[in-house]
Amino acid sequence: LIATQIAVSVPLVVGAGLFLKTLGNLGAVDPGFDPENLIVFGVDAGHATRDRDEQRLIYLRVLDELMGVPGVESAAIVENVLVSGWQSNTDADIDGEMHQIDMNAVSPGFFNTMGIDVLSGRGLASSDGPDAPRVVLVNETAERALFDGRAIGRVFRVNDEPIEVVGVVADTKYTSLKENVRPGYIDSWQQRPGGLYTVNYVVRTSRAEGEIEPIIRRIVAGADSRLPVTRFRSHGDELASQAARERVFARLLTLFGAFALLLSCIGLHGVMSFAVAQRRSEMGVRLALGAAPMSIVRMVLGQVARLTLVGLAVGLLVAWRVSPVVDSMLFGIEPGDTGIMALAAVLMSSVALAAGLVPAWKAARVDPLKSLAPGGGG
């Protein structure tokens, strides 16, 4: 029973370790932008009008109003909020070859608002409007992978429309923190064919979220009372939500693992205490014949070690076979990580040793005279 408890505890402890390490790895990921003091929310002008030009004017009116709010440092429009789970992509004809490429539409102030560096060339300007030639900025990955390291000035085609690369921006995470950066381009939201049905706003502000929210809602309602504000949140909360599932699993497995360790500790202590009580007379004889107290301690702990080793062997085998099931939820760590396995084994062994020390110490302190007296072995 004790060996079984240990065997059950080990996979839970290993699972907790894997998810805690995953959370740590996700927290250390550089998204490529500064999420601090950023507010994001969505607006769908389709609730007010079906005319695309009128929708565009509504979005611009909201953006202009936001820029005039005290405490707002900058604001921008973006098609897909970075690291929100949303993305857009298309097929691009580059030098006669078709490549799939990510895309995102933004307003000129987007890079400044997000803290994304324009590495070369220029950013988007207000002159890059609906009637101007289409221009884009590509990320570093696209420049390396698709343009042989020289992207500025190159022209490619999307749906047979020519687009010129005018700048290169630093790589950022797009859909999630776990993904590898893929080739992508950023174009002006006003140059996107057909426009955008819905947009998101990113606002960098020194004001608290609870303070700025009613102001933003009043601005959107002022542009048109029929407009809803959707998914209002801080960008920090958006990033935190990316690890929500992993955080839940880490908490549950840590809780169950700790509970299983506690049960194993209590069970092992109880079994060994009972075993010592049953062998009290034997230990008294050993001590009376000159056995050193430490030899009694080693004898008891040896029994603890045997139980623990059996449980560890079974538990580690189960953990190794089962851990690939959660591979898709891990990040930056293999499901069979030997470090986590070793740490779980050390933790389980330490708990077992602590549980067996008290009975072992009591066994070493048995009084030979009392243990050999009638009734002394009970």
Side-chain angles (χ1 to χ4, degrees):
L1 179 60
I2 296 303
T4 300
Q5 287 181 333
I6 294 173
V8 170
S9 301
V10 172
L12 293 173
V13 174
V14 169
L18 290 173
F19 279 100
L20 289 173
K21 183 65 175 177
T22 290
L23 289 177
N25 291 340
L26 286 173
V29 170
D30 179 9
F33 57 88
D34 181 10
E36 295 299 319
N37 302 317
L38 269 183
I39 298 295
V40 297
F41 64 93
V43 175
D44 182 359
H47 289 271
T49 177
R50 293 296 178 182
D51 185 274
R52 305 313 296 275
D53 289 333
E54 290 182 13
Q55 290 178 0
R56 184 170 63 85
L57 292 175
I58 288 174
Y59 293 142
L60 286 172
R61 190 179 309 133
V62 171
L63 183 61
D64 289 341
E65 291 288 335
L66 287 172
M67 293 297 294
V69 175
V72 171
E73 300 172 12
S74 60
I77 289 172
V78 59
E79 178 186 13
N80 297 312
V81 175
L82 299 182
V83 197
S84 64
W86 292 89
Q87 72 171 80
S88 299
N89 55 58
T90 188
D91 291 323
D93 181 349
I94 303 174
D95 297 331
E97 295 184 5
M98 298 302 295
H99 300 272
Q100 188 175 77
I101 187 169
D102 289 344
M103 61 180 184
N104 206 358
V106 304
S107 65
F110 176 75
F111 303 112
N112 178 58
T113 301
M114 297 296 294
I116 300 173
D117 293 331
V118 177
L119 302 178
S120 59
R122 69 172 179 88
L124 296 173
S126 56
S127 58
D128 298 318
D131 300 323
R134 283 196 71 186
V135 296
V136 300
L137 287 83
V138 299
N139 61 12
E140 295 174 271
T141 298
E143 183 177 44
R144 288 193 304 269
L146 304 180
F147 297 98
D148 300 321
R150 299 181 304 277
I152 296 178
R154 301 281 291 274
V155 176
F156 63 95
R157 291 180 172 273
V158 173
N159 295 325
D160 208 34
E161 181 181 6
I163 302 174
E164 181 183 359
V165 179
V166 297
V168 178
V169 296
D171 282 340
T172 64
K173 298 292 186 179
Y174 187 9
T175 310
S176 74
L177 290 174
K178 289 184 176 182
E179 70 173 2
N180 294 321
V181 178
R182 297 185 296 269
Y185 72 76
I186 302 94
D187 59 344
S188 170
W189 73 283
Q190 296 198 70
Q191 290 191 334
R192 183 64 65 81
L196 297 179
Y197 288 94
T198 65
V199 303
N200 293 285
Y201 291 85
V202 288
V203 181
R204 186 167 296 280
T205 176
S206 57
R207 305 179 75 160
E209 181 179 346
E211 185 181 355
I212 196 71
E213 181 175 4
I215 298 174
I216 288 175
R217 292 188 181 278
R218 282 198 299 270
I219 289 174
V220 174
D224 192 291
S225 60
R226 293 166 293 181
L227 293 181
V229 173
T230 60
R231 298 188 68 195
F232 184 97
R233 70 277 191 205
S234 72
H235 213 304
D237 290 341
E238 189 70 69
L239 290 180
S241 69
Q242 286 285 308
R245 182 178 59 171
E246 290 79 3
R247 191 173 293 107
V248 168
F249 273 90
R251 289 173 178 171
L252 286 175
L253 288 173
T254 299
L255 177 63
F256 291 145
F259 185 64
L261 284 175
L262 178 62
L263 285 180
S264 298
C265 183
I266 293 173
L268 188 56
H269 178 272
V271 167
M272 295 315 300
S273 295
F274 179 76
V276 167
Q278 291 292 97
R279 300 174 64 185
R280 188 179 181 88
S281 296
E282 173 198 339
M283 292 172 184
V285 170
R286 289 176 180 270
L287 290 170
L289 294 176
M294 285 306 299
S295 67
I296 303 297
V297 172
R298 286 193 294 270
M299 180 182 68
V300 175
L301 291 183
Q303 188 174 354
V304 172
R306 287 190 293 273
L307 289 172
T308 303
L309 287 174
V310 171
L312 281 177
V314 175
L316 289 173
L317 178 61
V318 171
W320 180 72
R321 294 296 298 271
V322 171
S323 55
V325 173
V326 298
D327 187 26
S328 63
M329 291 184 281
L330 303 180
F331 176 73
I333 187 171
E334 294 297 324
D337 184 80
T338 54
I340 296 295
M341 296 281 188
L343 185 60
V346 169
L347 179 60
M348 190 67 251
S349 299
S350 300
V351 169
L353 177 63
L357 272 177
V358 174
W361 182 249
K362 287 182 178 179
R365 293 172 61 86
V366 168
D367 185 337
L369 293 179
K370 292 183 178 180
S371 65
L372 295 175

